[in-house]
Amino acid sequence: MNTVLYYSVANLICFALFAWDKWAARTQQRRIAEFNLHLSCLLGGALGALIAQQLLRHKTKKFLFTLIIYLSIALHSILIIAISNEPSLLHYALS
């Protein structure tokens, strides 16, 4: 349950960051640093980023953004599968 909550919050935050950055780009306001957008993807918000990217048409022409989003989704999918199949795997990885 904690995993579901974590990913739900991470994806909502990441979606909100992309939406805010899109708004800021349109209104000539201060933008969110690309590093922070990348980091939010890598911390578990990649699905929210992908949805925001497609829905808002934001950062769609930047190959690096799309690559990081898909790599983050793959990484977290593997992590979730590994943890759900072998809970002690996480224990060994963190030791």
Side-chain angles (χ1 to χ4, degrees), residues 13-95:
I13 289 171
C14 194
F15 183 92
L17 289 173
F18 270 72
W20 181 273
D21 192 56
K22 175 70 174 193
W23 172 82
R26 286 185 161 191
T27 60
Q28 301 295 314
Q29 301 295 319
R30 185 171 179 199
R31 305 281 303 274
I32 295 174
E34 289 187 358
F35 175 81
N36 292 332
L37 294 173
H38 291 308
L39 184 62
S40 68
C41 291
L42 291 170
L43 291 175
L47 189 57
L50 181 64
I51 293 169
Q53 184 186 44
Q54 297 305 311
L55 186 66
L56 305 172
R57 306 299 302 158
H58 188 52
K59 302 287 188 186
T60 56
K61 294 182 181 180
K62 293 204 169 196
F63 176 74
L64 184 60
F65 269 92
T66 303
L67 179 65
I68 288 177
I69 289 170
Y70 282 111
L71 288 175
S72 297
I73 289 171
L75 173 72
H76 284 278
S77 297
I78 292 167
L79 182 63
I80 289 169
I81 291 167
I83 290 170
S84 65
N85 287 338
E86 187 61 46
S88 61
L89 183 65
L90 181 64
H91 172 71
Y92 291 122
L94 296 176
S95 299

